[in-house]
Amino acid sequence: MRTLISTAFISLDGVVEAPGGEPGYRNSGWTFKDVEFLPEAYEIKGREQEEAAALMMGRTSYEAFSPVWPDMEEFADYKVMPKYVVSTTLAEENLVSNWGETVILRSVDEVADLKETEGGPIIVHGSATLNQSLSDAGLIDRYHLLVFPLLLGAGKRLFSATDKDTQKLRLVEHEAYANGIQKNVFDVVR
């Protein structure tokens, strides 16, 4: 069974929207404009590329990443690994041709089937709506969270507001950095 890892830049109040500067959001770019950059706080991002065997995202994140990430040196490891886009609307002809193998999954059930196959970890970048669906379906096995010392108020949240049973997490790695960012790695307790 494959491990599904959700990775996110997240504000203290749970917002994950527009960390890198995506347009249309009041606090766009909050990860880099509002917090001092310390390279050591982002060490986990390089490790994720080394440890992941596949990349997963929702349609919106795919449409944001696919024009940019294939040519970015810092994301070179992702270029060669299989990619899975979970979308009910994305068409095959809308996939980019310079980013390697990409498969469209049409449902959370298809993600559950993928997890049952042989292979290494699958990492989920961005994709707030997808993360909520995967979490609510009990499919996420681990969270890699870089928590920023900011309260952003409005914005997309990593976790849904669904009324559900308590989900226990086990902290397996953590570190606090001088700029206030905290790295928290949690395994989902089953």
Side-chain angles (χ1 to χ4, degrees), residues 10-189:
I10 186 168
S11 68
L12 190 58
D13 58 347
V15 174
V16 293
E17 186 169 25
E22 299 82 345
Y25 175 62
R26 172 184 172 154
N27 293 314
S28 185
W30 50 270
T31 57
F32 300 106
K33 73 177 184 182
D34 294 326
V35 177
E36 175 191 2
F37 180 78
L38 292 178
E40 59 270 24
Y42 301 93
E43 170 276 334
I44 194 167
K45 295 294 154 198
R47 190 167 19 123
E48 288 171 348
Q49 286 187 72
E50 293 170 6
E51 294 174 359
L55 177 63
M56 181 178 286
M57 65 206 86
R59 179 195 48 82
T60 301
S61 291
Y62 177 80
E63 290 174 343
F65 298 160
S66 65
V68 181
W69 279 25
D71 297 323
M72 293 181 72
E73 196 172 306
E74 58 265 38
F75 299 120
D77 290 338
Y78 286 138
K79 186 170 184 170
V80 298
M81 69 178 63
K83 281 159 261 340
Y84 299 94
V85 182
V86 183
S87 173
T88 58
T89 59
L90 186 68
E92 292 283 336
E93 60 265 15
N94 297 121
L95 298 175
V96 298
S97 60
N98 65 334
W99 206 17
E101 175 191 355
T102 303
V103 174
I104 300 173
L105 303 176
R106 297 295 180 191
S107 69
V108 172
D109 289 338
E110 289 187 23
V111 175
D113 291 343
L114 174 65
K115 281 190 62 171
E116 295 296 326
T117 64
E118 293 295 319
I122 303 167
I123 193 143
V124 182
H125 274 279
S127 310
T129 303
L130 175 60
N131 266 285
Q132 291 176 5
S133 297
L134 295 172
S135 178
D136 288 349
L139 294 175
I140 295 178
D141 301 297
R142 176 173 275 195
Y143 290 95
H144 290 183
L145 304 177
L146 286 180
V147 183
F148 285 71
L150 302 169
L151 299 174
L152 299 174
K156 289 181 184 175
R157 310 276 172 184
L158 183 64
F159 303 104
S160 76
T162 302
D163 185 13
K164 58 185 176 184
D165 291 339
T166 300
Q167 177 64 71
K168 294 180 182 177
L169 305 174
R170 182 176 60 249
L171 185 65
V172 295
E173 182 181 343
H174 63 91
E175 191 163 349
Y177 302 96
N179 61 359
I181 292 175
Q182 296 176 34
K183 173 180 62 182
N184 293 303
V185 177
F186 294 99
D187 280 344
V188 175
V189 176

